[in-house]
Amino acid sequence: MKKNEEVTIQSETIFNGRVISLELHDVKLPNGRESKREIIKHPGAVAIIPFKEDGKIVMVEQYRKAMERNLLEIPAGKLEKGEAPEVTARRELEEETGYGCEKLKHIISFYTSPGFADELVHVYEATGLYEIEDHLELDEDEFVELVEVTLEEAEEYITTQRIFDAKTAFAVQYARLKENK
Amino acid sequence: MKKNEEVTIQSETIFNGRVISLELHDVKLPNGRESKREIIKHPGAVAIIPFKEDGKIVMVEQYRKAMERNLLEIPAGKLEKGEAPEVTARRELEEETGYGCEKLKHIISFYTSPGFADELVHVYEATGLYEIEDHLELDEDEFVELVEVTLEEAEEYITTQRIFDAKTAFAVQYARLKENK
């Protein structure tokens, strides 16, 4: 038994969707009492920080329905079943930006919302970018716009909340730490 | 109409829970086609990066049911209805760590999982920490353990994945940038 483990007494799958599923667990707490946990299951995702030779970061702007607004983010995408994260990273980079990369380096993996979801994002740094002619196309329900930004612009966009999500905020700090080295 | 807006044709609330709710939207895409969007609604949250005088960061370890494991994170918690984020931040800091703070500074706010959830986390830096006797107690279904770590230990815990979530990874980078200044 793990420290402070919450053991499932019974669970129910409320919803099984294309992206996420929702489970409701009755759990036994460490003090013996019972509680309920609402849990989102997600297949996991990758995010890529693509650096151009001149230091610019390649990002994509897209409409995010959950927030009903556009956000400027680093390229990212869901893992397909059985697909290695590095393969997903190269595919998403090509689909969303038209770039291939000579070097793809794993930086970190993190859970995005550990309080209610198991989504794990694997973050990669992509360098040695080159344009791919006849590159892979986006999924038919994806509409993204390429925006290449300097580090200073990215930091400015954080204050104006055009950049407004955790993985991209992490990426901008990563770029700043790299620049300061 | 916003750029690339996805207009809801109809929507359905699948689940309305204690923490999250789940909506399913039929949307009209920018190209006129239709698709479905699975959306998690969340009340929003705060996270606090508490720095002690000696530079140590105050974190909490707790069992996270979605991952079925313990994670070491910066203190955090959900917004109560109508509560200002700064009030939530002071309350969660006190409940989870027993510390009050003289100074609470807003650093950034970010969406954690913009692809499927509207959870917005407001991140604060807390300094001038002092222990509160008879401090606020945790919610009755919360069990957390205080761990005070140096920046070097925090960076080590990222590589060993004891620290394994986006907001805490962001916090450790923030501390490193501050240290390097």
Side-chain angles (χ1 to χ4, degrees), chain A residues 69-133:
Chain A
R69 55 162 291 183
N70 283 278
L71 292 181
L72 184 62
E73 299 168 49
I74 55 171
K78 279 192 313 289
L79 292 176
E80 299 294 335
K81 207 175 173 176
E83 191 178 47
E86 194 162 313
V87 174
T88 317
R90 288 183 183 275
R91 180 172 51 75
E92 290 289 344
L93 179 65
E94 183 177 340
E95 285 180 4
E96 295 199 343
T97 72
Y99 285 114
C101 68
E102 280 159 17
K103 202 176 158 200
L104 190 71
K105 183 181 135 196
H106 179 256
I107 297 172
I108 191 171
S109 298
F110 47 58
Y111 292 106
T112 54
S113 301
F116 67 91
D118 75 344
E119 184 193 30
L120 181 63
V121 176
H122 306 281
V123 184
Y124 293 88
E125 174 176 357
T127 49
L129 302 183
Y130 55 89
E131 287 178 44
I132 302 179
E133 282 183 60

Side-chain angles (χ1 to χ4, degrees), chain A residues 16-32:
Chain A
N16 213 330
R18 207 180 52 167
V19 180
I20 54 174
S21 59
L22 168 60
E23 295 178 4
L24 196 56
H25 287 244
D26 292 321
V27 298
K28 187 163 184 176
L29 300 173
N31 63 0

Side-chain angles (χ1 to χ4, degrees), chain B:
Chain B
M1 180 128 174
K2 296 165 198 161
K3 186 169 60 179
N4 289 328
E5 185 167 346
E6 301 176 349
V7 179
T8 297
I9 302 162
Q10 62 168 23
S11 69
E12 184 188 356
T13 299
I14 307 278
F15 174 78
N16 214 329
R18 207 180 53 167
V19 180
I20 55 174
S21 60
L22 168 61
E23 296 177 3
L24 197 56
H25 287 244
D26 292 323
V27 299
K28 188 163 184 177
L29 299 172
N31 64 1
R33 297 178 72 154
E34 292 183 14
S35 189
K36 283 184 190 299
R37 297 286 181 235
E38 301 159 5
I39 294 169
I40 297 297
K41 298 295 223 181
H42 185 283
V46 298
I48 308 103
I49 316 177
F51 287 105
K52 299 195 77 174
E53 292 287 320
D54 61 5
K56 279 190 178 172
I57 309 166
V58 181
M59 298 193 183
V60 289
E61 191 154 56
Q62 64 193 306
Y63 191 78
R64 291 301 205 173
K65 183 66 187 171
M67 275 71 63
E68 298 285 13
R69 55 162 290 183
N70 283 279
L71 292 180
L72 184 62
E73 299 169 49
I74 54 171
K78 280 192 312 289
L79 291 176
E80 298 296 333
K81 208 174 174 179
E83 191 178 46
E86 194 162 312
V87 174
T88 317
R90 287 184 184 274
R91 180 173 50 76
E92 289 290 343
L93 179 64
E94 183 177 340
E95 284 180 5
E96 295 198 345
T97 72
Y99 284 114
C101 67
E102 280 159 19
K103 203 177 156 200
L104 191 70
K105 182 181 136 195
H106 178 256
I107 297 172
I108 191 172
S109 298
F110 47 58
Y111 293 106
T112 53
S113 301
F116 68 91
D118 75 344
E119 184 195 29
L120 181 63
V121 176
H122 305 282
V123 184
Y124 293 87
E125 174 177 355
T127 48
L129 303 183
Y130 54 90
E131 286 179 45
I132 301 178
E133 281 183 61
D134 294 325
H135 62 79
L136 295 172
E137 294 289 329
L138 287 166
D139 296 342
E140 60 176 10
D141 65 347
E142 276 188 309
F143 302 85
V144 312
E145 209 160 283
L146 204 64
V147 186
E148 303 188 350
V149 298
T150 64
L151 174 54
E152 291 68 28
E153 285 168 340
E155 287 172 336
E156 170 65 19
Y157 292 152
I158 285 180
T159 68
T160 59
Q161 302 187 329
R162 183 178 178 191
I163 290 175
F164 207 3
D165 78 295
K167 68 181 178 307
T168 309
F170 178 90
V172 173
Q173 277 186 335
Y174 179 83
R176 172 51 69 194
L177 279 166
K178 195 174 143 109
E179 173 96 0
N180 289 356
K181 254 179 199 161

